[in-house]
Amino acid sequence: GTADGWVKHKPMDDEELLFAQVRMTTAATPGTTVWVYRCSVYAYPWYTSVRTILEDPAYAPWFMKFKPQGPWYSAKCAWTMK
């Protein structure tokens, strides 16, 4: 799309925008509990707190590495990607 959003920001800043939305929601409706689901199984780089760790070489051993050349999917898991 043409709308300005976190995807077009460099670096991506979805985490900050989600936090701003939480602050706006709780300010507009005191007493409301707001949850942000971040799917912690994946290390999404558009969350600043995650990207900081992904870019830190000290954490490199914690992450599985992809092979240098694609395709980067598992035929057993991603049967729709052919």
Coordinates of all heavy atoms in Angstrom, one line a residue:
G1 N 0.8 -1.2 0.0 CA 0.0 0.0 0.0 C 0.8 1.2 0.0 O 2.1 1.2 0.0
T2 N 0.2 2.3 0.0 CA 0.8 3.6 0.0 C 0.9 4.3 1.3 O 1.5 5.3 1.5 CB 0.1 4.6 -1.0 OG1 -1.3 4.7 -0.6 CG2 0.2 4.1 -2.4
A3 N 0.2 3.7 2.3 CA 0.2 4.3 3.6 C 1.5 4.2 4.3 O 2.2 3.2 4.1 CB -0.9 3.6 4.5
D4 N 1.8 5.2 5.1 CA 3.1 5.2 5.9 C 2.8 4.3 7.1 O 1.8 4.4 7.8 CB 3.4 6.6 6.4 CG 4.7 6.6 7.2 OD1 5.6 5.8 6.9 OD2 4.7 7.3 8.2
G5 N 3.6 3.3 7.3 CA 3.5 2.4 8.4 C 4.8 1.8 8.8 O 5.8 2.1 8.2
W6 N 4.8 1.0 9.8 CA 6.0 0.4 10.4 C 6.8 -0.4 9.4 O 8.0 -0.4 9.5 CB 5.7 -0.4 11.6 CG 4.8 -1.6 11.4 CD1 3.5 -1.7 11.4 CD2 5.3 -2.9 11.0 NE1 3.0 -2.9 11.1 CE2 4.1 -3.7 10.8 CE3 6.5 -3.5 10.8 CZ2 4.2 -5.0 10.5 CZ3 6.6 -4.8 10.4 CH2 5.4 -5.6 10.3
V7 N 6.2 -1.0 8.4 CA 6.9 -1.7 7.4 C 7.8 -0.9 6.5 O 8.9 -1.3 6.1 CB 5.9 -2.5 6.5 CG1 6.6 -3.1 5.3 CG2 5.2 -3.6 7.3
K8 N 7.4 0.4 6.3 CA 8.2 1.3 5.5 C 9.2 2.1 6.3 O 10.1 2.7 5.8 CB 7.3 2.3 4.8 CG 6.4 1.6 3.8 CD 5.6 2.6 3.0 CE 4.7 1.8 2.0 NZ 3.8 2.7 1.3
H9 N 9.2 2.0 7.6 CA 10.2 2.7 8.5 C 11.5 1.9 8.5 O 11.5 0.7 8.4 CB 9.6 2.8 9.9 CG 8.4 3.6 10.0 ND1 7.7 3.6 11.2 CD2 7.7 4.3 9.1 CE1 6.6 4.4 11.0 NE2 6.6 4.8 9.8
K10 N 12.6 2.6 8.5 CA 13.9 2.0 8.5 C 14.6 2.5 9.7 O 15.0 3.7 9.8 CB 14.7 2.4 7.3 CG 14.0 1.9 6.0 CD 14.0 0.4 5.8 CE 13.4 0.1 4.5 NZ 12.4 -0.9 4.5
P11 N 14.9 1.7 10.7 CA 14.5 0.3 10.8 C 13.0 0.2 11.2 O 12.4 1.2 11.7 CB 15.4 -0.2 12.0 CG 15.7 1.0 12.8 CD 15.7 2.1 11.9
M12 N 12.5 -0.9 11.0 CA 11.1 -1.2 11.3 C 10.8 -0.9 12.8 O 11.7 -1.3 13.6 CB 10.6 -2.6 10.9 CG 10.6 -2.8 9.4 SD 10.0 -4.5 9.1 CE 10.4 -4.6 7.4
D13 N 9.7 -0.4 13.2 CA 9.5 0.0 14.6 C 8.1 -0.4 15.0 O 7.4 0.3 15.7 CB 9.7 1.5 14.8 CG 8.8 2.3 13.9 OD1 8.1 1.8 13.0 OD2 8.8 3.6 14.1
D14 N 7.7 -1.6 14.7 CA 6.4 -2.1 15.1 C 6.2 -2.1 16.6 O 5.1 -1.8 17.1 CB 6.1 -3.5 14.5 CG 4.7 -4.0 14.7 OD1 3.8 -3.1 14.6 OD2 4.5 -5.1 15.0
E15 N 7.2 -2.5 17.3 CA 7.1 -2.6 18.8 C 6.7 -1.3 19.4 O 5.9 -1.2 20.3 CB 8.4 -3.1 19.3 CG 8.4 -3.4 20.8 CD 9.7 -4.1 21.3 OE1 10.8 -3.8 20.7 OE2 9.6 -4.9 22.2
E16 N 7.4 -0.2 18.9 CA 7.1 1.1 19.5 C 5.7 1.6 19.1 O 5.0 2.2 20.0 CB 8.1 2.1 18.9 CG 9.5 2.0 19.5 CD 10.3 0.8 18.9 OE1 9.9 0.2 17.9 OE2 11.4 0.5 19.5
L17 N 5.2 1.2 17.9 CA 3.9 1.6 17.5 C 2.8 0.8 18.3 O 1.8 1.4 18.7 CB 3.7 1.4 16.0 CG 4.5 2.4 15.1 CD1 4.4 2.0 13.7 CD2 4.2 3.8 15.4
L18 N 3.1 -0.5 18.6 CA 2.2 -1.3 19.4 C 2.1 -0.7 20.8 O 1.0 -0.6 21.4 CB 2.6 -2.7 19.4 CG 2.4 -3.5 18.2 CD1 3.1 -4.9 18.3 CD2 0.9 -3.7 17.9
F19 N 3.2 -0.3 21.3 CA 3.2 0.3 22.7 C 2.5 1.6 22.7 O 1.7 1.8 23.7 CB 4.7 0.5 23.2 CG 4.8 1.0 24.6 CD1 4.3 0.3 25.6 CD2 5.4 2.2 24.8 CE1 4.4 0.7 26.9 CE2 5.5 2.6 26.1 CZ 5.0 1.9 27.2
A20 N 2.6 2.4 21.7 CA 1.8 3.6 21.6 C 0.3 3.3 21.6 O -0.5 4.0 22.2 CB 2.2 4.5 20.4
Q21 N -0.1 2.3 20.8 CA -1.5 1.9 20.8 C -2.0 1.5 22.1 O -3.1 1.8 22.5 CB -1.7 0.9 19.7 CG -1.5 1.4 18.3 CD -1.6 0.3 17.3 OE1 -1.5 -0.9 17.6 NE2 -1.7 0.6 16.0
V22 N -1.2 0.7 22.8 CA -1.5 0.3 24.2 C -1.7 1.5 25.1 O -2.7 1.5 25.8 CB -0.5 -0.7 24.8 CG1 -0.7 -0.9 26.2 CG2 -0.5 -2.0 24.0
R23 N -0.8 2.4 25.0 CA -1.0 3.6 25.9 C -2.2 4.4 25.5 O -2.9 4.9 26.4 CB 0.3 4.5 25.7 CG 1.5 4.0 26.4 CD 2.6 5.1 26.4 NE 2.8 5.5 25.1 CZ 3.9 5.7 24.5 NH1 5.0 5.6 25.2 NH2 4.0 6.1 23.3
M24 N -2.5 4.5 24.2 CA -3.8 5.3 23.8 C -5.0 4.5 24.3 O -6.0 5.2 24.8 CB -3.8 5.4 22.3 CG -2.8 6.5 21.8 SD -3.0 6.8 20.1 CE -2.4 5.3 19.3
T25 N -5.0 3.2 24.2 CA -6.2 2.4 24.6 C -6.4 2.5 26.1 O -7.5 2.7 26.5 CB -6.0 1.0 24.1 OG1 -5.9 0.9 22.7 CG2 -7.2 0.1 24.5
T26 N -5.3 2.3 26.9 CA -5.5 2.4 28.3 C -5.8 3.8 28.8 O -6.5 3.9 29.8 CB -4.2 1.8 29.0 OG1 -3.1 2.5 28.6 CG2 -4.1 0.3 28.7
A27 N -5.3 4.8 28.1 CA -5.7 6.2 28.5 C -7.1 6.5 28.2 O -7.8 7.2 29.0 CB -4.8 7.2 27.8
A28 N -7.6 6.0 27.1 CA -9.0 6.2 26.7 C -10.0 5.4 27.6 O -11.2 5.9 27.7 CB -9.2 5.9 25.2
T29 N -9.6 4.3 28.1 CA -10.5 3.4 28.9 C -9.8 2.9 30.1 O -9.2 1.8 30.1 CB -10.9 2.2 28.0 OG1 -9.8 1.6 27.5 CG2 -11.8 2.6 26.9
P30 N -9.7 3.8 31.1 CA -9.0 3.4 32.4 C -9.5 2.1 32.9 O -10.7 1.8 32.9 CB -9.3 4.6 33.3 CG -9.6 5.7 32.4 CD -10.3 5.1 31.2
G31 N -8.6 1.3 33.4 CA -8.9 0.0 34.0 C -8.9 -1.1 33.0 O -9.0 -2.3 33.3
T32 N -8.7 -0.8 31.7 CA -8.7 -1.8 30.7 C -7.3 -2.5 30.6 O -6.3 -1.8 30.8 CB -8.9 -1.2 29.3 OG1 -10.2 -0.6 29.3 CG2 -8.8 -2.2 28.1
T33 N -7.3 -3.8 30.5 CA -6.1 -4.5 30.4 C -5.9 -4.8 28.9 O -6.8 -5.3 28.2 CB -6.2 -5.9 31.1 OG1 -6.4 -5.6 32.5 CG2 -4.9 -6.7 31.0
V34 N -4.7 -4.5 28.4 CA -4.4 -4.7 27.0 C -3.2 -5.6 26.9 O -2.2 -5.5 27.6 CB -4.0 -3.3 26.3 CG1 -3.7 -3.5 24.9 CG2 -5.2 -2.3 26.5
W35 N -3.4 -6.6 26.0 CA -2.3 -7.6 25.7 C -1.8 -7.4 24.3 O -2.6 -7.1 23.4 CB -2.8 -9.0 25.8 CG -3.1 -9.4 27.2 CD1 -4.3 -9.1 27.9 CD2 -2.3 -10.1 28.2 NE1 -4.3 -9.6 29.2 CE2 -3.1 -10.2 29.4 CE3 -1.1 -10.7 28.1 CZ2 -2.6 -10.9 30.5 CZ3 -0.6 -11.3 29.2 CH2 -1.3 -11.4 30.4
V36 N -0.5 -7.6 24.1 CA 0.1 -7.5 22.7 C 0.7 -8.9 22.5 O 1.6 -9.3 23.2 CB 1.2 -6.4 22.6 CG1 1.8 -6.5 21.3 CG2 0.6 -5.1 22.8
Y37 N 0.1 -9.6 21.5 CA 0.6 -10.9 21.1 C 1.7 -10.8 20.1 O 1.6 -10.2 19.1 CB -0.5 -11.8 20.5 CG -0.1 -13.1 20.1 CD1 0.3 -14.1 21.0 CD2 0.0 -13.4 18.7 CE1 0.7 -15.3 20.6 CE2 0.5 -14.7 18.3 CZ 0.8 -15.6 19.3 OH 1.2 -16.8 18.9
R38 N 2.9 -11.3 20.5 CA 4.1 -11.1 19.6 C 4.6 -12.4 19.0 O 5.6 -12.4 18.3 CB 5.2 -10.5 20.4 CG 4.9 -9.1 20.8 CD 6.0 -8.4 21.5 NE 7.2 -9.1 21.7 CZ 8.4 -8.5 21.8 NH1 8.5 -7.2 21.8 NH2 9.5 -9.2 22.1
C39 N 3.9 -13.5 19.2 CA 4.3 -14.8 18.6 C 5.8 -15.0 18.9 O 6.6 -14.9 18.0 CB 4.0 -14.9 17.1 SG 4.3 -16.6 16.4
S40 N 6.1 -15.4 20.1 CA 7.5 -15.5 20.5 C 8.3 -16.7 19.9 O 9.4 -16.8 20.2 CB 7.6 -15.5 22.0 OG 6.9 -16.7 22.5
V41 N 7.6 -17.5 19.1 CA 8.3 -18.6 18.5 C 9.3 -18.1 17.4 O 10.4 -18.6 17.3 CB 7.3 -19.6 17.8 CG1 8.0 -20.7 17.0 CG2 6.4 -20.2 18.9
Y42 N 8.9 -17.0 16.8 CA 9.8 -16.4 15.7 C 10.5 -15.2 16.3 O 9.9 -14.5 17.1 CB 8.9 -16.0 14.5 CG 8.2 -17.2 13.9 CD1 6.9 -17.4 14.0 CD2 8.9 -18.1 13.1 CE1 6.2 -18.4 13.4 CE2 8.3 -19.2 12.5 CZ 6.9 -19.4 12.7 OH 6.3 -20.4 12.1
A43 N 11.7 -15.0 15.8 CA 12.4 -13.8 16.1 C 12.2 -12.7 15.1 O 13.0 -12.6 14.1 CB 13.9 -14.1 16.3
Y44 N 11.1 -12.0 15.2 CA 10.8 -10.9 14.2 C 11.7 -9.7 14.4 O 11.7 -9.1 15.4 CB 9.3 -10.5 14.4 CG 8.4 -11.6 14.0 CD1 7.4 -12.0 14.9 CD2 8.4 -12.2 12.8 CE1 6.5 -13.0 14.6 CE2 7.4 -13.2 12.4 CZ 6.5 -13.6 13.4 OH 5.6 -14.5 13.0
P45 N 12.4 -9.3 13.4 CA 13.3 -8.2 13.5 C 12.6 -6.8 13.5 O 13.3 -5.8 13.8 CB 14.2 -8.3 12.3 CG 13.4 -9.0 11.3 CD 12.5 -10.0 12.1
W46 N 11.3 -6.8 13.3 CA 10.6 -5.5 13.3 C 10.3 -5.1 14.8 O 9.8 -4.0 15.0 CB 9.4 -5.4 12.4 CG 8.5 -6.6 12.5 CD1 7.5 -6.8 13.4 CD2 8.5 -7.7 11.6 NE1 6.9 -8.0 13.1 CE2 7.5 -8.6 12.0 CE3 9.3 -8.1 10.5 CZ2 7.2 -9.8 11.3 CZ3 9.0 -9.3 9.8 CH2 7.9 -10.1 10.3
Y47 N 10.6 -5.9 15.7 CA 10.5 -5.6 17.1 C 11.9 -5.1 17.6 O 12.9 -5.9 17.5 CB 10.0 -6.7 18.0 CG 8.6 -7.1 17.7 CD1 8.3 -8.5 17.5 CD2 7.6 -6.2 17.6 CE1 7.0 -8.9 17.2 CE2 6.3 -6.6 17.3 CZ 6.0 -8.0 17.1 OH 4.8 -8.4 16.8
T48 N 12.1 -3.9 18.0 CA 13.4 -3.4 18.3 C 14.1 -4.2 19.4 O 15.3 -4.5 19.2 CB 13.3 -1.9 18.8 OG1 12.6 -1.2 17.8 CG2 14.6 -1.3 19.1
S49 N 13.4 -4.7 20.4 CA 14.1 -5.5 21.4 C 14.6 -6.8 20.9 O 15.6 -7.3 21.3 CB 13.1 -5.8 22.6 OG 12.0 -6.5 22.1
V50 N 13.9 -7.4 19.9 CA 14.4 -8.6 19.2 C 15.5 -8.3 18.3 O 16.5 -9.1 18.3 CB 13.2 -9.3 18.5 CG1 13.7 -10.5 17.8 CG2 12.1 -9.7 19.5
R51 N 15.4 -7.3 17.4 CA 16.4 -7.0 16.5 C 17.7 -6.7 17.2 O 18.8 -7.1 16.7 CB 16.0 -5.8 15.6 CG 16.9 -5.4 14.5 CD 16.5 -4.3 13.6 NE 16.1 -3.1 14.3 CZ 14.9 -2.7 14.6 NH1 13.9 -3.4 14.1 NH2 14.7 -1.6 15.2
T52 N 17.7 -6.1 18.3 CA 18.9 -5.8 19.1 C 19.7 -7.1 19.4 O 20.9 -7.1 19.2 CB 18.6 -5.0 20.4 OG1 17.9 -3.8 20.0 CG2 19.8 -4.7 21.2
I53 N 18.9 -8.1 19.8 CA 19.6 -9.4 20.1 C 20.0 -10.1 18.8 O 21.1 -10.7 18.7 CB 18.6 -10.3 20.9 CG1 18.4 -9.7 22.3 CG2 19.1 -11.7 21.0 CD1 17.3 -10.3 23.1
L54 N 19.2 -10.1 17.7 CA 19.5 -10.7 16.5 C 20.8 -10.1 15.9 O 21.6 -10.9 15.3 CB 18.4 -10.5 15.5 CG 17.2 -11.4 15.7 CD1 16.1 -11.0 14.7 CD2 17.5 -12.8 15.6
E55 N 21.0 -8.8 16.1 CA 22.2 -8.2 15.5 C 23.4 -8.3 16.4 O 24.5 -7.9 16.0 CB 21.9 -6.7 15.2 CG 20.9 -6.6 14.1 CD 20.4 -5.2 13.8 OE1 20.8 -4.3 14.6 OE2 19.8 -4.9 12.8
D56 N 23.3 -8.8 17.6 CA 24.4 -8.9 18.5 C 25.1 -10.2 18.3 O 24.6 -11.3 18.6 CB 23.9 -8.8 20.0 CG 25.0 -8.8 21.0 OD1 26.1 -9.1 20.7 OD2 24.7 -8.4 22.2
P57 N 26.4 -10.2 17.9 CA 27.1 -11.4 17.6 C 27.2 -12.3 18.8 O 27.4 -13.6 18.7 CB 28.5 -10.9 17.2 CG 28.4 -9.5 16.9 CD 27.2 -9.0 17.6
A58 N 27.1 -11.8 20.0 CA 27.2 -12.6 21.2 C 26.1 -13.6 21.3 O 26.2 -14.7 22.0 CB 27.2 -11.8 22.5
Y59 N 24.9 -13.3 20.7 CA 23.8 -14.2 20.7 C 23.7 -15.2 19.5 O 22.8 -16.0 19.4 CB 22.5 -13.4 20.8 CG 22.3 -12.7 22.1 CD1 22.7 -11.4 22.3 CD2 21.7 -13.4 23.2 CE1 22.5 -10.8 23.5 CE2 21.5 -12.8 24.4 CZ 21.9 -11.5 24.6 OH 21.7 -10.9 25.8
A60 N 24.6 -15.1 18.6 CA 24.6 -15.8 17.3 C 24.4 -17.3 17.6 O 23.6 -18.0 16.9 CB 25.8 -15.6 16.5
P61 N 25.1 -17.9 18.6 CA 24.9 -19.4 18.8 C 23.5 -19.8 19.2 O 23.2 -21.0 19.1 CB 25.9 -19.7 19.9 CG 26.9 -18.6 19.9 CD 26.1 -17.4 19.4
W62 N 22.7 -18.9 19.6 CA 21.3 -19.2 20.0 C 20.4 -19.5 18.9 O 19.3 -20.0 19.0 CB 20.7 -18.1 20.9 CG 21.3 -18.1 22.3 CD1 22.4 -17.4 22.7 CD2 20.8 -18.8 23.4 NE1 22.6 -17.7 24.0 CE2 21.6 -18.5 24.5 CE3 19.7 -19.7 23.6 CZ2 21.4 -19.0 25.8 CZ3 19.5 -20.2 24.9 CH2 20.4 -19.9 25.9
F63 N 20.8 -19.0 17.7 CA 19.8 -19.0 16.5 C 20.3 -20.1 15.5 O 21.4 -20.3 15.3 CB 19.8 -17.7 15.9 CG 19.2 -16.6 16.8 CD1 20.1 -15.7 17.5 CD2 17.9 -16.5 17.1 CE1 19.6 -14.8 18.3 CE2 17.3 -15.6 17.9 CZ 18.2 -14.7 18.6
M64 N 19.3 -20.7 14.9 CA 19.5 -21.7 13.8 C 19.9 -20.9 12.6 O 19.3 -19.9 12.3 CB 18.3 -22.5 13.6 CG 17.9 -23.4 14.7 SD 16.3 -24.2 14.6 CE 16.5 -25.0 13.0
K65 N 20.9 -21.4 11.9 CA 21.3 -20.7 10.6 C 20.7 -21.3 9.4 O 20.6 -22.5 9.3 CB 22.8 -20.8 10.5 CG 23.6 -20.3 11.8 CD 24.3 -19.0 11.5 CE 25.2 -18.6 12.6 NZ 24.6 -18.2 13.8
F66 N 20.3 -20.5 8.5 CA 19.9 -21.0 7.2 C 21.1 -21.3 6.3 O 22.1 -20.7 6.5 CB 19.0 -19.9 6.5 CG 17.6 -19.7 7.0 CD1 17.3 -18.6 7.8 CD2 16.7 -20.7 6.8 CE1 16.1 -18.4 8.3 CE2 15.4 -20.5 7.4 CZ 15.1 -19.4 8.1
K67 N 20.9 -22.2 5.4 CA 22.0 -22.4 4.4 C 22.2 -21.1 3.6 O 21.3 -20.3 3.4 CB 21.7 -23.6 3.5 CG 20.4 -23.5 2.8 CD 20.1 -24.8 2.0 CE 18.7 -24.7 1.3 NZ 18.4 -25.9 0.6
P68 N 23.4 -21.0 3.0 CA 23.7 -19.7 2.3 C 22.8 -19.4 1.1 O 22.5 -18.3 0.8 CB 25.1 -19.9 1.9 CG 25.7 -20.9 2.8 CD 24.6 -21.8 3.1
Q69 N 22.3 -20.5 0.4 CA 21.5 -20.3 -0.8 C 20.1 -20.8 -0.6 O 20.0 -21.9 0.1 CB 22.1 -21.0 -2.0 CG 23.5 -20.4 -2.4 CD 23.4 -18.9 -2.9 OE1 22.4 -18.6 -3.6 NE2 24.3 -18.1 -2.5
G70 N 19.1 -20.2 -1.1 CA 17.7 -20.7 -1.0 C 17.5 -21.9 -1.8 O 18.4 -22.4 -2.5
P71 N 16.3 -22.5 -1.8 CA 15.2 -22.0 -1.0 C 15.2 -22.2 0.5 O 15.8 -23.2 0.9 CB 14.0 -22.8 -1.7 CG 14.6 -24.1 -2.1 CD 16.0 -23.7 -2.5
W72 N 14.7 -21.3 1.2 CA 14.7 -21.4 2.7 C 13.4 -21.8 3.3 O 12.8 -21.1 4.0 CB 15.2 -20.0 3.3 CG 16.6 -19.7 2.9 CD1 17.7 -20.2 3.3 CD2 16.9 -18.7 1.9 NE1 18.8 -19.7 2.7 CE2 18.3 -18.7 1.8 CE3 16.2 -17.7 1.2 CZ2 19.0 -17.8 1.0 CZ3 16.9 -16.9 0.4 CH2 18.3 -16.9 0.3
Y73 N 13.0 -23.0 3.0 CA 11.7 -23.5 3.5 C 11.9 -25.0 3.6 O 12.7 -25.6 3.0 CB 10.5 -23.1 2.7 CG 10.5 -23.7 1.3 CD1 9.9 -25.0 1.1 CD2 11.0 -23.0 0.3 CE1 9.9 -25.6 -0.1 CE2 11.0 -23.6 -1.0 CZ 10.4 -24.8 -1.2 OH 10.4 -25.4 -2.4
S74 N 11.1 -25.6 4.5 CA 11.1 -27.1 4.6 C 9.9 -27.6 3.8 O 8.7 -27.3 4.1 CB 10.9 -27.4 6.1 OG 10.6 -28.8 6.2
A75 N 10.2 -28.5 2.9 CA 9.1 -29.1 2.0 C 8.2 -29.9 2.9 O 7.0 -30.0 2.6 CB 9.8 -30.0 1.0
K76 N 8.7 -30.4 4.0 CA 7.8 -31.2 4.9 C 6.8 -30.3 5.6 O 5.7 -30.7 5.9 CB 8.6 -32.0 5.9 CG 9.5 -33.1 5.4 CD 10.3 -33.7 6.4 CE 11.2 -34.8 5.8 NZ 12.0 -35.4 6.9
C77 N 7.2 -29.1 5.9 CA 6.3 -28.2 6.7 C 5.6 -27.2 5.8 O 4.5 -26.8 6.1 CB 7.2 -27.4 7.7 SG 8.0 -28.4 8.9
A78 N 6.2 -26.8 4.7 CA 5.6 -25.7 3.9 C 5.3 -26.4 2.5 O 5.8 -26.0 1.5 CB 6.6 -24.6 3.7
W79 N 4.4 -27.3 2.5 CA 4.0 -28.0 1.3 C 3.4 -27.1 0.2 O 3.3 -27.5 -0.9 CB 3.1 -29.2 1.6 CG 1.8 -28.7 2.3 CD1 1.6 -28.6 3.6 CD2 0.6 -28.4 1.7 NE1 0.3 -28.2 3.9 CE2 -0.3 -28.0 2.7 CE3 0.1 -28.3 0.4 CZ2 -1.6 -27.6 2.5 CZ3 -1.2 -27.9 0.1 CH2 -2.0 -27.6 1.2
T80 N 2.9 -25.9 0.6 CA 2.3 -25.0 -0.3 C 3.3 -24.2 -1.1 O 3.0 -23.6 -2.1 CB 1.3 -24.1 0.4 OG1 2.0 -23.3 1.3 CG2 0.2 -24.8 1.0
M81 N 4.6 -24.2 -0.6 CA 5.6 -23.4 -1.3 C 6.4 -24.3 -2.3 O 7.2 -25.1 -1.9 CB 6.6 -22.8 -0.3 CG 5.9 -22.0 0.8 SD 7.0 -21.4 2.0 CE 7.7 -20.0 1.2
K82 N 6.0 -24.2 -3.5 CA 6.7 -25.0 -4.5 C 7.3 -24.2 -5.6 O 6.9 -23.1 -5.9 CB 5.7 -26.0 -5.2 CG 5.2 -26.9 -4.1 CD 4.3 -28.0 -4.8 CE 3.8 -28.9 -3.6 NZ 3.1 -30.0 -3.8

